[in-house]
Amino acid sequence: NDPEYTNGNLWHLNVCKVLDAWDIQQGDSTVVIGIIDAGNDIIQTDLINKIAYNLKDPIDGYDNDGDGFIDNYRGWDVADNDQDPTNSSATEHGTYVAGIASAQVNNGFGTAGVGFKTKFLPVKVCRDGSTSITNGYDGIVDAANHRCKVINCSWGDVAGSIYGEDIVNYATNNCDALIVAA
């Protein structure tokens, strides 16, 4: 019942046969997709209930869960090393990617995410005010260490390096994560 679907704007759901897939499996809220991007609109109606909140580390100025990050309740900004993964640049790319992956389905608002019941973890990898990925590999490590099973890197770059390969191998082999890149 999401308007973007009912008005035909989510044609990709039909082309990719996502509704047929949902008849078989609608995902699981324990599956977390790491969105490694320019930040997210964490109060957006379709996303706010889909964030994989870290309930063990509420925003109170302490590292309650002992993972080395103070107040990483709703993701992390690895570029600026703070607890605010919100969009701070001219792009909303990370919000769009999070919506495609995990926007709330059947809430009568906006769009519908392919992941249906999955959650997402916002990991911001652009410095405040920038659209350039500066800490992408750090973002992959952060997402992998925080148990994301799918890690999305929609960076649109074809460059590679041994270091990048090592990071992907770490996330894949040591943390059992699937890395998806564009």
Side-chain angles (χ1 to χ4, degrees):
N1 67 5
D2 302 297
E4 291 295 311
Y5 178 75
T6 58
N7 70 15
N9 286 341
L10 302 181
W11 54 269
H12 64 282
L13 295 179
N14 293 322
V15 170
C16 296
K17 302 201 181 294
V18 172
L19 278 73
D20 293 339
W22 288 345
D23 286 340
I24 299 167
Q25 174 61 259
Q26 294 181 345
D28 187 321
S29 63
T30 63
V31 174
V32 178
I33 303 168
I35 304 296
I36 317 304
D37 214 295
N40 294 105
D41 181 351
I42 58 175
I43 61 169
Q44 201 271 351
T45 303
D46 269 337
L47 299 178
I48 194 166
N49 295 320
K50 301 301 298 264
I51 294 173
Y53 292 102
N54 180 2
L55 302 176
K56 295 178 182 175
D57 199 5
I59 299 173
D60 63 2
Y62 298 99
D63 179 14
N64 297 296
D65 61 358
D67 67 353
F69 300 93
I70 296 172
D71 299 342
N72 61 326
Y73 173 70
R74 59 181 180 233
W76 194 255
D77 177 348
V78 297
D80 294 308
N81 196 32
D82 64 40
Q83 47 113 346
D84 185 7
T86 59
N87 289 336
S88 63
S89 62
T91 182
E92 293 186 32
H93 188 267
T95 299
Y96 297 144
V97 171
I100 291 167
S102 194
Q104 191 167 343
V105 177
N106 286 331
N107 64 344
F109 180 85
T111 190
V114 173
F116 205 105
K117 293 180 183 175
T118 60
K119 300 282 185 174
F120 79 98
L121 181 69
V123 180
K124 183 173 167 246
V125 294
C126 299
R127 297 201 191 287
D128 285 346
S130 174
T131 59
S132 296
I133 306 264
T134 55
N135 295 76
Y137 294 130
D138 295 332
I140 292 173
V141 170
D142 181 67
N145 287 343
H146 285 98
R147 297 179 199 87
C148 290
K149 288 300 166 194
V150 178
I151 299 174
N152 181 281
C153 306
S154 295
W155 306 340
D157 193 355
V158 295
S161 68
I162 302 246
Y163 177 71
E165 186 175 337
D166 287 345
I167 295 297
V168 169
N169 287 337
Y170 166 77
T172 302
N173 299 328
N174 294 51
C175 302
D176 195 30
L178 171 68
I179 309 294
V180 179

